[in-house]
């Protein structure tokens, strides 16, 4: 017997696929704003129906560059046409001169700046000094020891130093990051160019990679064309510009600016200071440390040395004063100090590389000739000049007098020029490296003066600054890559 059929069970209302649109908002919103164009496409349309919606005009197809022959674009010979495989950045047209600026950026990996404002995930912030606690030592402060203190204006009523810029390298990477390069290029674009200059262009190449597994760049060379107008700002003034200095502090880098000339890549003479440059110590401080009576002699000599190096004291008079304090030392003390000399990291491979390149070397020291001559022989340096002390022939001890002219700042400049003339070398092909105020005239006479972990005044006056842990970085200023340097010192 057939069961009676009742009415069919009504299902829940729903939208079929034919009733659906491509917009969730169009299906569910109750109010549609007036004056809204019908062809407006919201983000929901882009996400849900991007294939059926054309938001912008199709991009024009870019034809491949075929200026240089390749398997995909073989060369074609056309009668009456001139084909050249050159580019404006590679060579200049006849009658024009190259006007390029080379900037070498060195990341200070051995001296990171730590932010106290924005925490770093890798490093803790610098400790803060509690009220009433003793002042932090000068070596622990970013403020040079010769500047006015900012803690007590009563004792030294001068305007305090400006606030240091916030370091950015701990945010964007402890290396030469793409943001660092972009920031530098933006900075350089603010300087005016010479009249009727072509469109500015730039290129960069990495000269040295870090030792970390990521191998981030630590030394990068940038070439900018054209260089900023010399009528507006000379290269010497550009190197000391406030914006360049602030950029270095923000990104924890050293910026070396040089005109892109032939002599930049081919130096022929490199002149070094000795104390705190070729070696890590001051020889006269080592001598003073051997004298036990009076007990404070070493500290007194070290203080005079420091004040002379930062330019507070005239070097010649300060040197005579220190030598006078060494009266009575045996003449053989110089031989005893030879094993104590600590050669700066990177000096030996650097001198080996310079010798293979045919570059002459010299050491001009404000120290003592017995040790300077011995060190020059050990390192293979071609020229050595320093001060000669008077020795009493009867007692064999130092008299506290100096023989002849003191090798101070004027004498160092004269010796550099004499050596260059003797070798027939233009001063444009001379590099001078030093750390103290008595090296400034020598560095100014050379084609490039390099301040190596120098005193604040020397850092500001020198043409280039290096504050790394290896003097071998000097070769990067010539444009050598890390691979090329390894070939030179192999």
């Amino acid at each position: 017997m057939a069961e009676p059929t009742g009415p069919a069970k009504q299902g829940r209302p729903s939208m079929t696929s034919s009733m659906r649109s491509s917009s969730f908002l169009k299906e569910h919103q109750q109010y549609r704003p007036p004056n809204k164009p019908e062809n407006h496409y919201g983000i929901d349309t882009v996400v849900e129906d991007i294939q059926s919606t054309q938001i912008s005009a199709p991009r024009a197809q870019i034809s491949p560059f075929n200026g240089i022959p390749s398997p995909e674009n073989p060369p074609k010979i056309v009668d009456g046409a001139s084909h050249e495989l050159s580019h404006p950045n590679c060579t200049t047209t006849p009658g024009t001169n190259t006007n390029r600026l080379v900037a070498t950026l060195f990341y200070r990996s051995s001296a990171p700046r730590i932010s106290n404002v924005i925490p770093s995930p890798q490093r803790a912030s610098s400790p803060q000094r509690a009220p009433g606690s003793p002042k932090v030592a000068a070596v622990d402060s970013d403020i040079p020891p010769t500047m006015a203190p900012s803690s007590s204006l009563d004792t030294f009523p001068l305007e305090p130093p400006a606030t240091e810029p916030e370091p950015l390298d701990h945010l964007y990477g402890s290396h030469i990051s793409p943001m660092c390069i972009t920031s530098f290029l933006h900075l350089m674009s603010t300087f005016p160019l010479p009249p009727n200059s072509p469109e500015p262009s730039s290129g960069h190449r990495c000269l040295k990679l870090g030792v970390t597994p990521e191998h981030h760049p630590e030394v990068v060379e940038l070439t900018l064309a054209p260089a900023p107008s010399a009528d507006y700002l000379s290269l010497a003034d550009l190197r000391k510009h406030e914006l360049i200095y602030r950029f270095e502090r923000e990104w924890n880098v050293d910026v070396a600016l040089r005109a892109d000339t032939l002599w930049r890549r081919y130096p022929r003479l490199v002149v070094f200071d000795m104390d705190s440059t070729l070696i890590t110590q001051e020889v006269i401080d080592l001598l003073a440390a051997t004298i036990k009576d009076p007990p404070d002699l070493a500290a007194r000599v070290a203080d005079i040395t420091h004040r002379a190096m930062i330019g507070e004291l005239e070097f010649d008079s300060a040197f005579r004063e220190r030598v006078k304090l060494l009266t009575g030392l045996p003449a053989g003390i110089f031989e005893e100090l030879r094993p104590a000399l600590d050669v700066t990291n990177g000096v030996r491979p650097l001198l080996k590389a310079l010798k293979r390149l045919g570059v002459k070397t010299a050491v001009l020291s404000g120290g003592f000739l017995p040790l300077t001559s011995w060190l020059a022989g050990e390192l293979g340096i071609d020229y050595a000049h320093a001060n000669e002390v008077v020795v009493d022939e009867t007692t064999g001890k130092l008299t506290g007098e100096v023989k002849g002219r003191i090798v101070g700042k004027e004498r160092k400049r004269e010796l550099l020029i004499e050596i260059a003339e003797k070798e027939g070398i233009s001063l444009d092909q001379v590099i001078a490296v030093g750390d103290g105020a008595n090296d400034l005239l020598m560095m100014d006479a050379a084609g490039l003066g390099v301040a190596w972990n120098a005193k604040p005044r020397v850092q500001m006056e020198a043409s280039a600054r290096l504050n790394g842990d290896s003097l071998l970085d000097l070769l990067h200023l010539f444009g050598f890559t890390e691979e090329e340097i390894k070939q030179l010192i192999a």
Side-chain angles (χ1 to χ4, degrees):
M1 180 175 168
E3 295 183 2
T5 58
K9 187 176 181 181
Q10 196 70 19
R12 186 174 182 180
S14 62
M15 297 179 66
T16 61
S17 58
S18 61
M19 301 169 60
R20 290 185 179 274
S21 69
S22 60
S23 172
F24 179 85
L25 293 178
K26 189 180 295 183
E27 294 171 359
H28 295 87
Q29 76 179 32
Q30 301 296 319
Y31 170 73
R32 192 177 190 85
N35 303 325
K36 183 176 181 181
E38 294 296 327
N39 59 349
H40 172 77
Y41 296 100
I43 187 62
D44 56 300
T45 305
V46 176
V47 173
E48 299 180 15
D49 202 21
I50 188 65
Q51 295 182 351
S52 61
T53 303
Q54 182 174 322
I55 300 175
S56 60
R59 306 176 80 180
Q61 185 176 3
I62 301 175
S63 59
F65 173 71
N66 57 5
I68 300 178
S70 63
E72 294 78 15
N73 300 280
K76 297 180 181 179
I77 307 300
V78 180
D79 291 337
S82 175
H83 296 270
E84 59 182 7
L85 305 180
S86 63
H87 190 273
N89 287 344
C90 300
T91 184
T92 57
T93 57
T96 60
N97 296 321
T98 301
N99 180 25
R100 291 195 292 257
L101 183 70
V102 174
T104 309
L105 275 58
F106 296 84
Y107 182 71
R108 297 185 183 184
S109 56
S110 59
R113 291 187 62 220
I114 302 175
S115 170
N116 288 319
V117 178
I118 305 175
S120 169
Q122 288 83 21
R123 299 189 289 266
S125 61
S126 301
Q128 299 294 320
R129 186 168 64 94
S133 62
K135 292 171 61 176
V136 181
V139 295
D140 298 327
S141 173
D142 283 336
I143 302 175
T146 54
M147 293 187 68
S150 57
S151 57
S152 176
L153 296 182
D154 296 331
T155 57
F156 207 106
L158 294 179
E159 182 179 354
T163 305
E164 286 289 332
E166 179 67 18
L168 300 177
D169 59 312
H170 76 293
L171 294 178
Y172 295 99
S174 299
H175 55 273
I176 308 295
S177 63
M179 187 63 72
C180 174
I181 295 176
T182 303
S183 177
F184 181 77
L185 294 176
H186 180 267
L187 183 156
M188 296 302 296
S189 68
T190 61
F191 299 116
L193 301 177
N196 304 320
S197 296
E199 284 294 322
S201 61
S202 65
H204 70 275
R205 61 193 186 110
C206 179
L207 302 184
K208 180 182 178 181
L209 296 176
V211 296
T212 58
E214 296 82 7
H215 298 299
H216 291 305
E218 289 191 350
V219 182
V220 173
E221 180 185 274
L222 294 98
T223 304
L224 294 85
S229 174
D231 295 333
Y232 171 78
L233 201 63
S234 66
L235 180 57
D237 291 334
L238 180 62
R239 288 166 171 159
K240 303 173 186 177
H241 199 281
E242 181 183 358
L243 292 179
I244 299 292
Y245 176 74
R246 186 175 183 87
F247 172 83
E248 289 179 321
R249 300 296 293 163
E250 285 179 342
W251 294 98
N252 197 29
V253 298
D254 290 315
V255 178
L257 299 175
R258 302 189 67 186
D260 189 18
T261 64
L262 183 64
W263 313 131
R264 178 185 74 89
R265 300 187 295 274
Y266 299 102
R268 294 183 58 196
L269 172 64
V270 180
V271 179
F272 298 94
D273 176 40
M274 178 172 164
D275 294 5
S276 299
T277 302
L278 287 181
I279 62 174
T280 60
Q281 312 112 315
E282 295 284 339
V283 169
I284 198 165
D285 294 346
L286 295 177
L287 289 171
T290 63
I291 302 178
K292 304 303 180 183
D293 187 25
D296 64 337
L297 178 65
R300 287 160 54 193
V301 171
D303 178 66
I304 297 173
T305 302
H306 173 71
R307 293 171 63 192
M309 290 299 102
I310 64 177
E312 288 186 358
L313 300 178
E314 187 64 29
F315 180 83
D316 291 14
S317 59
F319 183 78
R320 292 186 186 276
E321 181 181 352
R322 287 176 291 170
V323 173
K324 200 71 176 177
L325 296 174
L326 303 179
T327 303
L329 279 180
I333 189 65
F334 296 111
E335 294 183 5
E336 297 176 10
L337 284 180
R338 290 177 181 177
L341 297 186
D342 180 31
V343 178
T344 301
N345 182 34
V347 164
R348 296 184 187 275
L350 170 62
L351 292 171
K352 181 179 181 180
L354 293 176
K355 188 169 290 292
R356 293 191 68 177
L357 291 170
V359 178
K360 294 292 183 179
T361 54
V363 52
L364 306 181
S365 173
F368 303 95
L369 188 59
L371 280 176
T372 303
S373 299
W374 173 82
L375 183 66
E378 287 290 307
L379 299 177
I381 297 176
D382 300 300
Y383 295 90
H385 294 272
N387 298 300
E388 293 187 66
V389 292
V390 179
V391 179
D392 191 331
E393 296 181 357
T394 58
T395 62
K397 295 183 178 180
L398 305 185
T399 64
E401 302 293 330
V402 182
K403 185 187 301 183
R405 288 185 61 185
I406 290 180
V407 182
K409 55 184 180 181
E410 291 87 1
R411 184 58 180 157
K412 283 189 175 186
R413 178 179 59 183
E414 294 173 4
L415 289 170
L416 181 146
I417 296 174
E418 289 176 9
I419 296 172
E421 291 179 349
K422 180 180 178 180
E423 295 289 342
I425 298 173
S426 169
L427 291 179
D428 291 334
Q429 292 180 274
V430 178
I431 309 294
V433 185
D435 75 297
N438 63 325
D439 299 318
L440 284 174
L441 291 183
M442 170 183 76
M443 295 160 65
D444 184 63
L448 178 69
V450 181
W452 167 251
N453 288 322
K455 312 304 182 291
R457 177 187 169 190
V458 185
Q459 295 261 5
M460 294 299 297
E461 295 291 333
S463 304
R465 297 175 288 275
L466 290 178
N467 292 283
D469 55 5
S470 174
L471 200 53
L472 194 60
D473 287 344
L474 182 70
L475 294 177
H476 292 309
L477 291 176
F478 311 152
F480 290 116
T481 64
E482 188 74 4
E483 181 180 4
E484 293 167 339
I485 293 176
K486 289 180 180 179
Q487 295 175 11
L488 287 173
I489 65 178

